Amino acid sequence: MADIQQLQKLSTQVRRDIVRMVHAVSSGHPGGSLGCTDFLVALYNGVMKHDSNNFTMDGKGEDLFFLSNGHISPVYYSVLARCGYFPVEELKTFRRLNTRLQGHPTTHDHLPGIRIASGSLGQGMSVAIGAALTKKLNHDNSIIYSLHGDGELQEGQIWEAAMYAAANKVDNYIATIDYNGRQIDGDVDNVLSLGNLKAKFEAFGWQVVETERGNDLVSVIEGLSKSKSYIGKGKPIVNIMKTEMGAGVDFMMGTHKWHGSAPNDEQLAKALGQLEETLGDY
Amino acid sequence: MKKYTYTEKKDTRSGFGVGLQELGKTNPNVVALCADLIGSLKMDAFKAENPERFFQVGIAEANMIGIAAGLTIGGKIPFTGTFANFSTGRVYDQIRQSVAYSGKNVKICASHAGLTLGEDGATHQILEDIGLMKMLPHMCVINPCDYNQTKAATIAIAEYDGPVYLRFGRPSVPNFTDANQSFEIGKAVLLNEGTDVTIIATGHLVWKAIEAGEKLAEQGISAEIINIHTIKPLDNDAILTSVSKTRCVVTAEEHQMHGGLGDSVAQLLSRHLPTPQEFVAVNDSFGESGTPDELMSKYGLDTIDIINATHKVLKRK
Ligand SMILES: Cc1ncc(C[n+]2csc(CCOP(=O)(O)OP(=O)(O)O)c2C)c(N)n1
Ligand SMILES: [Mg+2]
């Protein structure tokens, strides 16, 4: 496990990457990306067993991660690049013509680190379950991880998948929910309330872990360790992780407005003023 | 070549929003549903003015189509709103069974169709929606060309009894059609009379067809230009009349070549008037991230592509 200060620096740099990437093309999704930065930084730096130098689609012997809420591609790309999956320089090409860094992640352009296209919400849990079943068939005791938006949970397919995973004891799988309470049209509670999410997953037969401070690296790592402790115990595991959309940039927090808007020049400068350049900008 | 001008570029989705707002005032049976994309679909005004007739369903498109089908039972006229991809492919069986086969009066209104959605990339850039929807028996498929026409189409489909797929987009494009046009479903609009070639375009490609027509005129080629806003039912008479005069045809659309407007035209002509045809359309490929202009150029959907297709088809006459 990398030390916390190191991870902290990485988180700050990833946040800089995110705001710079979306600013450069005046499009993309900074809000959820900033909120999930600490999670992805922790996951790829100590929690998951993975090999960024020798990416293979099959990932045999490795833990695998699936991003179901594909719109938060900026954080995903930055973390993958800074882990060595592809050159950090390539972040410059985000959303530009002929890039491998498509607006939503894709396998179509063979970007190392990506194993399925996402962007149309609600499909990633099913895919993760399939990959978890293959791990079992291959006698590979690695772990499958996935991340989902809370608004995304409104999609029916998620609950088809949830029912399947519990009924079939898919217990080599940890799904994390980005429980930020916000989506495009406003607060999740106002758009379509999820009700008691913990009780819902429990009723579906899942082991529930709650991470209260999803923007605190220590708390995130604890939540993931606790989740891992339930692997192989007969139930799929869900890590309901409270985060703040826009975390790390004061004016992007406390609102849904930065779900999918890019900062202008002035806003970028203000955001970067709050995020120290720790590992060098791309 | 008849001269077309415009004072403003506007997005077709805003034409939908304004049309829907007007329906809110004029037709008490019109109700609207959205799946967490109110701003993108420009449904804010209808929602604000008719809160009891607006249903936010969350990110649950299949449920939205089912609820819309149910709302028709008792006389409501539901307009559903989400991106074109999530309006069609995502919910195809729900549309097929609960709307089309059941003959329900649902208006499926779809924004961000095609490549011009831009930077979000291929996951969102559906180029198969016209094909998917036109294959459904009795589904009416409409793809207007500008803001004014989209507004007029939105108002017109409320009066039409039956399922409709209304396709529009995100980018600002020349708004050149008449602000007070009457929109007749299934009726082609003859934009320019010509003798050498018939250019049949739909949606965002209509303006590019006009631009191509101007360039071709400079080269001494007389193009007849037809705006097909209704792909199904297709205006067979208008097409046959034109093509029997020009004897060659170019179709242009922001869609896959397979399954689009070009297919419908080819099918018509092969049965009644076999004619050389060239297709300006996406050639069996997904899209990608980029600006709308870059993408239209890279995937061969630009003015120059219509011109080149015309030269090609003229040689085949
Ligand atoms: C099937 C589908 N429907 C609609 C959308 C459009 N869309 C993209 S992100 C989003 C909101 C997602 O909310 P949430 O999962 O909470 O993510 P957050 O806004 O917190 O990042 C919507 C509706 C989509 N990408 N896919
Ligand atoms: Mg959310």
Side-chain angles (χ1 to χ4, degrees):
Chain A
M1 179 77 57
D3 77 78
I4 287 290
Q5 265 171 2
Q6 205 79 37
L7 291 187
Q8 197 61 59
K9 281 188 182 160
L10 179 54
S11 277
T12 308
Q13 188 63 50
V14 167
R15 288 192 158 92
R16 279 184 75 89
D17 292 347
I18 293 167
V19 291
R20 293 179 67 236
M21 285 162 75
V22 297
H23 166 265
V25 286
S26 299
S27 73
H29 300 77
S33 293
L34 292 165
C36 291
T37 298
D38 306 293
F39 170 77
L40 279 165
V41 163
L43 188 70
Y44 273 88
N45 295 276
V47 175
M48 264 195 347
K49 169 185 67 178
H50 67 110
D51 182 359
S52 58
N53 294 318
N54 301 292
F55 174 76
T56 60
M57 179 54 72
D58 288 343
K60 289 196 176 147
E62 293 182 68
D63 295 339
L64 310 181
F65 170 71
F66 295 96
L67 183 74
S68 188
N69 45 341
H71 60 279
I72 68 164
S73 57
V75 62
Y76 193 21
Y77 294 147
S78 168
V79 169
L80 287 175
R82 294 203 177 263
C83 284
Y85 277 93
F86 55 86
V88 173
E89 274 286 290
E90 203 169 337
L91 297 177
K92 268 189 201 154
T93 68
F94 175 60
R95 284 181 169 247
R96 295 191 192 277
L97 196 69
N98 300 323
T99 183
R100 297 196 292 177
L101 278 60
Q102 291 288 305
H104 294 78
T106 166
T107 52
H108 189 262
D109 307 288
H110 309 291
L111 185 68
I114 314 280
R115 292 192 170 87
I116 197 94
S118 60
S120 180
L121 294 166
Q123 305 188 22
M125 190 179 283
S126 306
V127 174
I129 290 169
L133 294 173
T134 285
K135 287 286 186 198
K136 291 196 180 217
L137 290 170
N138 288 348
H139 308 290
D140 176 345
N141 64 358
S142 310
I143 300 174
I144 302 294
Y145 294 88
S146 64
L147 181 63
H148 310 265
D150 47 3
E152 187 190 2
L153 302 184
Q154 293 159 351
E155 287 289 359
Q157 186 181 346
I158 293 280
W159 301 99
E160 297 174 24
M163 194 181 301
Y164 182 92
N168 293 280
K169 301 188 172 49
V170 182
D171 59 358
N172 54 344
Y173 171 38
I174 300 169
T176 295
I177 309 303
D178 174 24
Y179 200 34
N180 61 13
R182 306 196 195 276
Q183 58 187 107
I184 291 186
D185 282 346
D187 290 352
V188 175
D189 278 342
N190 294 332
V191 173
L192 180 64
S193 174
L194 302 175
N196 187 335
L197 188 60
K198 179 175 188 234
K200 276 197 172 72
F201 270 108
E202 281 172 350
F204 270 72
W206 285 55
Q207 178 66 51
V208 177
V209 172
E210 289 175 294
T211 300
E212 285 299 325
R213 295 191 311 282
N215 295 116
D216 171 68
L217 279 164
V218 176
S219 169
V220 168
I221 292 166
E222 272 172 20
L224 284 167
S225 307
K226 195 169 168 200
S227 301
K228 273 169 111 165
S229 74
Y230 291 113
I231 289 289
K233 301 231 155 77
K235 290 179 174 188
I237 301 139
V238 62
N239 171 31
I240 302 179
M241 180 180 72
K242 275 202 188 124
T243 64
E244 176 79 61
M245 186 180 266
V249 177
D250 60 6
F251 63 91
M252 292 190 178
M253 302 195 292
T255 169
H256 63 275
K257 298 227 168 73
W258 294 92
H259 157 91
S261 330
N264 61 26
D265 293 351
E266 200 181 311
Q267 290 161 334
L268 174 72
K270 202 168 157 202
L272 292 179
Q274 299 169 23
L275 300 165
E276 192 195 339
E277 183 179 345
T278 52
L279 305 177
D281 288 339
Y282 60 84
Chain B
M1 170 79 193
K2 192 169 162 194
K3 189 84 197 139
Y4 284 93
T5 56
Y6 62 94
T7 49
E8 231 184 326
K9 285 189 173 188
K10 280 179 154 183
D11 50 350
T12 51
R13 62 178 165 155
S14 288
F16 164 70
V18 170
L20 186 65
Q21 183 183 11
E22 193 166 317
L23 285 172
K25 297 194 175 81
T26 56
N27 190 333
N29 280 326
V30 167
V31 299
L33 302 88
C34 188
D36 195 26
L37 284 169
I38 295 171
S40 296
L41 267 285
K42 305 288 177 189
M43 296 172 102
D44 327 64
F46 182 94
K47 179 188 180 225
E49 292 168 18
N50 313 277
E52 76 294 349
R53 284 196 272 151
F54 181 82
F55 305 95
Q56 164 69 272
V57 301
I59 313 169
E61 295 80 10
N63 190 40
M64 175 166 73
I65 296 296
I67 292 177
L71 278 161
T72 64
I73 301 168
K76 300 302 167 213
I77 308 172
F79 282 61
T80 64
T82 182
F83 292 163
N85 186 33
F86 315 135
S87 292
T88 57
R90 179 87 189 180
V91 293
Y92 198 59
D93 190 42
Q94 283 77 14
I95 294 175
R96 184 174 178 275
Q97 175 172 296
S98 302
V99 176
Y101 184 46
S102 298
K104 295 302 177 214
N105 193 20
V106 175
K107 315 303 172 188
I108 299 158
C109 304
S111 184
H112 293 55
L115 292 173
T116 51
L117 159 144
E119 291 83 353
D120 273 344
T123 52
H124 289 49
Q125 289 162 340
I126 194 161
L127 293 163
E128 302 84 24
D129 54 324
I130 290 175
L132 285 170
M133 300 309 280
K134 81 174 187 184
M135 276 198 294
L136 290 171
H138 309 303
M139 178 66 70
C140 173
V141 179
I142 299 178
N143 186 194
C145 66
D146 70 358
Y147 170 96
N148 284 339
Q149 192 160 76
T150 308
K151 180 184 170 195
T154 303
I155 293 166
I157 62 176
E159 295 298 320
Y160 170 90
D161 186 21
V164 175
Y165 178 60
L166 180 65
R167 178 197 218 228
F168 41 90
R170 179 170 184 260
S172 288
V173 294
N175 184 29
F176 70 97
T177 64
D178 188 358
N180 299 311
Q181 67 193 279
S182 64
F183 186 93
E184 210 178 317
I185 294 170
K187 188 101 186 88
V189 180
L190 181 60
L191 291 172
N192 191 58
E193 285 186 44
T195 49
D196 297 330
V197 59
T198 302
I199 302 176
I200 303 177
T202 189
H204 293 144
L205 269 292
V206 172
W207 181 257
K208 290 183 189 290
I210 291 171
E211 287 179 336
E214 284 165 359
K215 294 261 160 57
L216 289 166
E218 288 165 18
Q219 299 167 7
I221 296 164
S222 161
E224 180 137 309
I225 304 174
I226 298 177
N227 169 12
I228 289 286
H229 53 56
T230 307
I231 291 150
K232 189 182 167 193
L234 193 64
D235 190 342
N236 296 351
D237 290 346
I239 294 170
L240 291 173
T241 304
S242 174
V243 173
S244 48
K245 176 172 62 174
T246 61
R247 293 282 169 185
C248 69
V249 59
V250 171
T251 51
E253 60 195 307
E254 190 180 346
H255 191 271
Q256 298 287 354
M257 193 182 296
H258 299 296
L261 167 69
D263 260 17
S264 294
V265 170
Q267 196 178 117
L268 171 74
L269 295 178
S270 70
R271 289 169 63 204
H272 298 286
L273 187 66
T275 305
Q277 177 176 351
E278 289 294 328
F279 299 74
V280 174
V282 175
N283 189 6
D284 202 22
S285 159
F286 289 103
E288 64 178 289
S289 292
T291 65
D293 286 345
E294 286 170 346
L295 294 169
M296 293 299 264
S297 164
K298 177 166 175 176
Y299 288 84
L301 304 184
D302 239 330
T303 306
I304 183 71
D305 301 297
I306 299 176
I307 295 170
N308 291 341
T310 301
H311 288 301
K312 204 167 161 195
V313 83
L314 283 170
K315 288 200 195 100
R316 293 174 52 200
K317 244 184 165 176

